[in-house]
Amino acid sequence: MGAGHDSHFIARLAWDAVARRVAAGSPAILPIGAAAKQHGFHLPLDTDRRQAEWFAAEIAERIDALIWPTVTYGYYPAFVEYPGSTSLSSSTFEAVIHEIASGILDAGCTTLFVLNTGISTEAPVERALIRLDTWKVHHLRAYGGPRYISAAETLSRQSHGSHADELETSLMLAIAPDMVDMARAEASPAMVREVPGRLTPTDTRSPNFSRSGSYGDPTLATAAKGEVLLTALLDDLHKQAAAAMDASR
Protein backbone atom coordinates (compact mmCIF):
# COMPACT_ATOMS: atom_id res chain seq x y z
CA MET A 1 0.00 0.00 0.00
CA GLY A 2 1.66 3.20 -1.20
CA ALA A 3 1.58 6.81 -0.08
CA GLY A 4 -0.97 7.51 -2.80
CA HIS A 5 -3.60 5.87 -0.65
CA ASP A 6 -3.06 8.30 2.25
CA SER A 7 -5.76 10.67 1.03
CA HIS A 8 -8.40 8.01 1.69
CA PHE A 9 -7.61 7.30 5.35
CA ILE A 10 -9.31 9.84 7.62
CA ALA A 11 -6.71 9.23 10.34
CA ARG A 12 -4.18 10.95 8.05
CA LEU A 13 -6.40 13.94 7.24
CA ALA A 14 -7.50 17.07 9.09
CA TRP A 15 -11.15 17.16 10.14
CA ASP A 16 -12.11 19.94 7.74
CA ALA A 17 -10.74 17.95 4.80
CA VAL A 18 -12.92 15.04 5.91
CA ALA A 19 -15.91 17.37 6.19
CA ARG A 20 -15.45 18.61 2.63
CA ARG A 21 -15.20 15.07 1.26
CA VAL A 22 -18.29 13.95 3.16
CA ALA A 23 -20.24 16.99 1.93
CA ALA A 24 -19.18 16.16 -1.63
CA GLY A 25 -20.70 12.69 -1.26
CA SER A 26 -17.67 10.46 -0.66
CA PRO A 27 -18.77 7.03 0.59
CA ALA A 28 -17.26 5.63 3.79
CA ILE A 29 -15.50 2.32 4.43
CA LEU A 30 -15.22 0.79 7.90
CA PRO A 31 -12.69 -2.08 7.84
CA ILE A 32 -12.93 -4.87 10.40
CA GLY A 33 -9.76 -6.90 10.91
CA ALA A 34 -8.21 -8.33 14.05
CA ALA A 35 -4.85 -7.08 15.27
CA ALA A 36 -4.66 -9.54 18.18
CA LYS A 37 -5.50 -12.94 16.69
CA GLN A 38 -3.04 -15.78 16.18
CA HIS A 39 -2.25 -16.81 12.63
CA GLY A 40 0.07 -19.72 13.12
CA PHE A 41 3.82 -19.54 13.59
CA HIS A 42 4.39 -17.94 10.19
CA LEU A 43 2.04 -14.93 10.14
CA PRO A 44 1.70 -11.94 12.51
CA LEU A 45 -1.23 -11.44 14.87
CA ASP A 46 -2.37 -8.42 12.86
CA THR A 47 -2.78 -10.38 9.61
CA ASP A 48 -6.51 -9.58 9.39
CA ARG A 49 -5.90 -5.87 9.98
CA ARG A 50 -3.33 -5.75 7.20
CA GLN A 51 -5.69 -7.48 4.80
CA ALA A 52 -8.66 -5.30 5.75
CA GLU A 53 -6.74 -2.06 5.20
CA TRP A 54 -5.20 -3.29 1.94
CA PHE A 55 -8.59 -4.28 0.55
CA ALA A 56 -10.17 -1.03 1.78
CA ALA A 57 -7.47 1.06 0.09
CA GLU A 58 -8.05 -0.70 -3.23
CA ILE A 59 -11.81 -0.14 -3.06
CA ALA A 60 -11.40 3.46 -1.92
CA GLU A 61 -9.14 4.23 -4.86
CA ARG A 62 -11.83 2.98 -7.24
CA ILE A 63 -14.81 4.83 -5.71
CA ASP A 64 -13.01 7.77 -4.00
CA ALA A 65 -14.10 6.65 -0.54
CA LEU A 66 -12.98 7.69 2.92
CA ILE A 67 -11.64 4.91 5.16
CA TRP A 68 -12.39 5.03 8.88
CA PRO A 69 -9.91 3.51 11.37
CA THR A 70 -10.00 -0.28 11.39
CA VAL A 71 -11.93 -2.06 14.13
CA THR A 72 -9.15 -4.32 15.39
CA TYR A 73 -10.93 -5.99 18.31
CA GLY A 74 -13.85 -8.28 17.61
CA TYR A 75 -15.61 -11.55 18.29
CA TYR A 76 -12.96 -14.25 17.74
CA PRO A 77 -13.67 -16.98 20.32
CA ALA A 78 -11.93 -19.78 18.41
CA PHE A 79 -8.43 -18.51 19.12
CA VAL A 80 -8.35 -17.40 22.75
CA GLU A 81 -6.18 -20.30 23.95
CA TYR A 82 -3.26 -18.86 21.98
CA PRO A 83 -1.40 -16.10 23.86
CA GLY A 84 -1.96 -12.67 22.32
CA SER A 85 -5.33 -13.59 20.84
CA THR A 86 -8.17 -11.46 22.17
CA SER A 87 -11.93 -11.73 21.77
CA LEU A 88 -14.81 -9.49 22.78
CA SER A 89 -18.18 -11.01 23.58
CA SER A 90 -20.56 -11.16 20.65
CA SER A 91 -22.89 -8.61 22.25
CA THR A 92 -20.08 -6.15 23.01
CA PHE A 93 -18.71 -6.41 19.48
CA GLU A 94 -22.18 -5.94 18.01
CA ALA A 95 -22.68 -2.81 20.12
CA VAL A 96 -19.28 -1.40 19.08
CA ILE A 97 -20.02 -1.84 15.37
CA HIS A 98 -23.50 -0.36 15.75
CA GLU A 99 -22.22 2.73 17.55
CA ILE A 100 -19.34 3.35 15.15
CA ALA A 101 -21.53 2.88 12.08
CA SER A 102 -24.20 5.14 13.57
CA GLY A 103 -21.60 7.83 14.17
CA ILE A 104 -20.34 7.64 10.59
CA LEU A 105 -23.87 8.05 9.24
CA ASP A 106 -24.60 10.86 11.72
CA ALA A 107 -21.52 12.67 10.36
CA GLY A 108 -23.33 12.97 7.04
CA CYS A 109 -22.07 9.97 5.07
CA THR A 110 -24.85 8.63 2.87
CA THR A 111 -23.16 5.35 1.92
CA LEU A 112 -21.20 3.12 4.31
CA PHE A 113 -19.40 -0.09 3.42
CA VAL A 114 -18.50 -2.30 6.37
CA LEU A 115 -15.62 -4.45 5.11
CA ASN A 116 -15.43 -7.60 7.20
CA THR A 117 -12.48 -10.02 7.04
CA GLY A 118 -13.80 -12.38 9.73
CA ILE A 119 -16.10 -15.39 9.83
CA SER A 120 -17.25 -15.41 13.46
CA THR A 121 -17.84 -11.65 13.11
CA GLU A 122 -20.40 -11.98 10.31
CA ALA A 123 -23.51 -12.60 12.44
CA PRO A 124 -22.80 -9.82 14.99
CA VAL A 125 -22.09 -7.36 12.18
CA GLU A 126 -25.36 -8.28 10.48
CA ARG A 127 -27.27 -7.71 13.72
CA ALA A 128 -25.51 -4.39 14.27
CA LEU A 129 -26.28 -3.07 10.80
CA ILE A 130 -29.88 -4.25 10.47
CA ARG A 131 -30.88 -1.65 13.06
CA LEU A 132 -29.56 1.19 10.88
CA ASP A 133 -30.79 2.71 7.61
CA THR A 134 -30.21 -0.46 5.63
CA TRP A 135 -30.23 1.30 2.26
CA LYS A 136 -27.20 3.34 3.39
CA VAL A 137 -25.15 0.50 4.89
CA HIS A 138 -23.62 -2.44 3.03
CA HIS A 139 -21.86 -5.43 4.59
CA LEU A 140 -18.92 -6.52 2.41
CA ARG A 141 -17.70 -10.03 3.31
CA ALA A 142 -14.15 -10.26 2.01
CA TYR A 143 -14.13 -13.99 1.29
CA GLY A 144 -17.77 -14.60 0.43
CA GLY A 145 -17.88 -13.57 -3.24
CA PRO A 146 -18.46 -16.08 -6.06
CA ARG A 147 -15.22 -15.35 -7.92
CA TYR A 148 -13.08 -15.79 -4.83
CA ILE A 149 -14.86 -19.01 -3.86
CA SER A 150 -14.38 -20.40 -7.38
CA ALA A 151 -10.69 -19.46 -7.44
CA ALA A 152 -10.15 -20.97 -3.99
CA GLU A 153 -11.78 -24.25 -5.00
CA THR A 154 -9.63 -24.42 -8.13
CA LEU A 155 -6.30 -23.63 -6.47
CA SER A 156 -6.53 -25.33 -3.09
CA ARG A 157 -4.58 -28.55 -2.60
CA GLN A 158 -5.05 -28.88 1.16
CA SER A 159 -7.47 -31.47 2.57
CA HIS A 160 -9.11 -28.94 4.88
CA GLY A 161 -8.55 -25.39 6.06
CA SER A 162 -9.93 -21.98 6.91
CA HIS A 163 -7.34 -20.17 9.03
CA ALA A 164 -3.69 -19.29 8.41
CA ASP A 165 -3.92 -22.00 5.78
CA GLU A 166 -2.87 -22.45 2.15
CA LEU A 167 -5.28 -19.77 0.90
CA GLU A 168 -4.78 -17.08 3.54
CA THR A 169 -1.02 -17.52 3.48
CA SER A 170 -1.02 -17.24 -0.32
CA LEU A 171 -2.95 -13.97 -0.05
CA MET A 172 -0.41 -12.62 2.44
CA LEU A 173 2.46 -13.64 0.14
CA ALA A 174 0.83 -11.43 -2.50
CA ILE A 175 -0.02 -8.53 -0.17
CA ALA A 176 2.81 -8.42 2.38
CA PRO A 177 5.48 -11.04 1.60
CA ASP A 178 7.89 -9.48 4.08
CA MET A 179 5.49 -10.43 6.90
CA VAL A 180 5.37 -14.14 5.98
CA ASP A 181 7.93 -16.58 7.40
CA MET A 182 7.40 -19.68 5.26
CA ALA A 183 10.20 -21.48 7.09
CA ARG A 184 7.91 -21.57 10.13
CA ALA A 185 4.73 -22.57 8.30
CA GLU A 186 3.26 -25.72 9.83
CA ALA A 187 0.19 -27.68 8.76
CA SER A 188 -2.45 -28.64 11.28
CA PRO A 189 -2.96 -32.39 11.88
CA ALA A 190 -4.98 -34.40 9.38
CA MET A 191 -8.66 -33.97 10.14
CA VAL A 192 -10.58 -37.10 11.10
CA ARG A 193 -13.86 -35.23 11.36
CA GLU A 194 -14.82 -31.57 11.49
CA VAL A 195 -16.04 -30.60 14.96
CA PRO A 196 -17.16 -27.06 15.89
CA GLY A 197 -15.19 -25.48 18.68
CA ARG A 198 -12.06 -23.62 19.64
CA LEU A 199 -8.66 -24.46 18.27
CA THR A 200 -6.29 -25.62 20.99
CA PRO A 201 -2.47 -25.70 21.11
CA THR A 202 -2.33 -28.03 24.12
CA ASP A 203 -5.07 -30.70 24.07
CA THR A 204 -3.68 -33.33 21.73
CA ARG A 205 -6.85 -35.42 22.09
CA SER A 206 -9.05 -32.68 20.67
CA PRO A 207 -10.11 -32.86 17.00
CA ASN A 208 -9.27 -29.14 16.92
CA PHE A 209 -5.69 -29.54 18.12
CA SER A 210 -3.19 -27.37 16.25
CA ARG A 211 0.25 -26.80 17.75
CA SER A 212 0.89 -23.83 15.48
CA GLY A 213 -2.64 -22.40 15.35
CA SER A 214 -3.02 -22.97 11.62
CA TYR A 215 -6.11 -24.81 10.42
CA GLY A 216 -5.08 -26.23 7.07
CA ASP A 217 -1.74 -26.48 5.31
CA PRO A 218 0.09 -23.18 4.80
CA THR A 219 3.17 -24.98 3.45
CA LEU A 220 1.30 -25.28 0.12
CA ALA A 221 0.96 -21.50 -0.23
CA THR A 222 2.58 -19.55 -3.06
CA ALA A 223 2.60 -15.93 -4.14
CA ALA A 224 1.28 -16.98 -7.56
CA LYS A 225 -1.80 -18.51 -5.94
CA GLY A 226 -2.15 -15.37 -3.86
CA GLU A 227 -2.20 -13.12 -6.92
CA VAL A 228 -5.02 -15.16 -8.50
CA LEU A 229 -7.01 -15.17 -5.26
CA LEU A 230 -6.43 -11.45 -4.76
CA THR A 231 -7.65 -10.58 -8.25
CA ALA A 232 -10.81 -12.64 -7.73
CA LEU A 233 -11.45 -11.21 -4.26
CA LEU A 234 -11.03 -7.59 -5.38
CA ASP A 235 -13.24 -8.21 -8.39
CA ASP A 236 -15.99 -9.46 -6.07
CA LEU A 237 -15.62 -6.49 -3.74
CA HIS A 238 -15.53 -3.93 -6.55
CA LYS A 239 -18.68 -5.37 -8.09
CA GLN A 240 -20.50 -5.34 -4.74
CA ALA A 241 -19.49 -1.75 -4.09
CA ALA A 242 -20.38 -0.60 -7.61
CA ALA A 243 -23.80 -2.22 -7.43
CA ALA A 244 -24.51 -0.54 -4.10
CA MET A 245 -23.37 2.85 -5.42
CA ASP A 246 -25.58 2.50 -8.49
CA ALA A 247 -28.58 1.54 -6.37
CA SER A 248 -28.15 4.58 -4.15
CA ARG A 249 -28.18 7.05 -7.04
Side-chain angles (χ1 to χ4, degrees), residues 6-145:
D6 283 357
S7 63
H8 297 291
F9 287 86
I10 68 164
R12 303 168 194 174
L13 303 174
W15 73 266
D16 57 332
V18 174
R20 287 191 294 273
R21 297 273 292 279
V22 169
S26 290
I29 300 174
L30 177 64
I32 299 173
K37 176 181 167 188
Q38 69 85 2
H39 276 80
F41 294 144
H42 64 295
L43 294 174
L45 271 76
D46 71 341
T47 289
D48 287 359
R49 179 192 65 80
R50 291 174 183 273
Q51 292 182 25
E53 292 177 0
W54 202 95
F55 302 154
E58 290 297 309
I59 298 169
E61 190 70 19
R62 182 78 66 91
I63 63 174
D64 193 27
L66 289 167
I67 304 169
W68 258 249
T70 304
V71 179
T72 58
Y73 287 98
Y75 178 58
Y76 306 111
F79 310 103
V80 293
E81 287 192 37
Y82 297 80
S85 300
T86 306
S87 178
L88 302 176
S89 68
S90 178
S91 58
T92 296
F93 176 62
E94 178 184 336
V96 167
I97 297 302
H98 182 265
E99 289 196 25
I100 294 173
S102 295
I104 294 171
L105 296 178
D106 288 345
C109 291
T110 57
T111 302
L112 168 61
F113 296 103
V114 178
L115 176 57
N116 187 3
T117 60
I119 297 174
S120 56
T121 50
E122 288 187 356
V125 169
E126 279 294 302
R127 292 194 298 269
L129 302 184
I130 199 69
R131 295 183 280 136
L132 300 169
D133 293 329
T134 54
W135 62 276
K136 293 183 178 180
V137 185
H138 309 276
H139 185 183
L140 302 182
R141 298 167 180 81
Y143 310 108

Side-chain angles (χ1 to χ4, degrees), residues 155-228:
L155 292 173
S156 180
R157 297 294 177 264
Q158 60 189 2
S159 61
H160 69 282
S162 63
H163 180 70
D165 62 348
E166 175 186 6
L167 301 177
E168 186 168 27
T169 303
S170 292
L171 277 172
M172 285 298 287
L173 284 170
I175 293 171
D178 56 318
M179 300 306 300
V180 184
D181 186 354
M182 287 301 292
R184 301 200 68 212
E186 180 178 302
S188 60
M191 185 178 65
V192 177
R193 66 189 188 284
E194 190 166 358
V195 179
R198 297 176 177 177
L199 289 175
T200 174
T202 55
D203 185 359
T204 58
R205 297 167 300 175
S206 170
N208 295 320
F209 170 71
S210 175
R211 189 178 80 99
S212 69
S214 297
Y215 187 70
D217 190 352
T219 67
L220 300 172
T222 68
K225 291 178 183 177
E227 293 291 349
V228 174

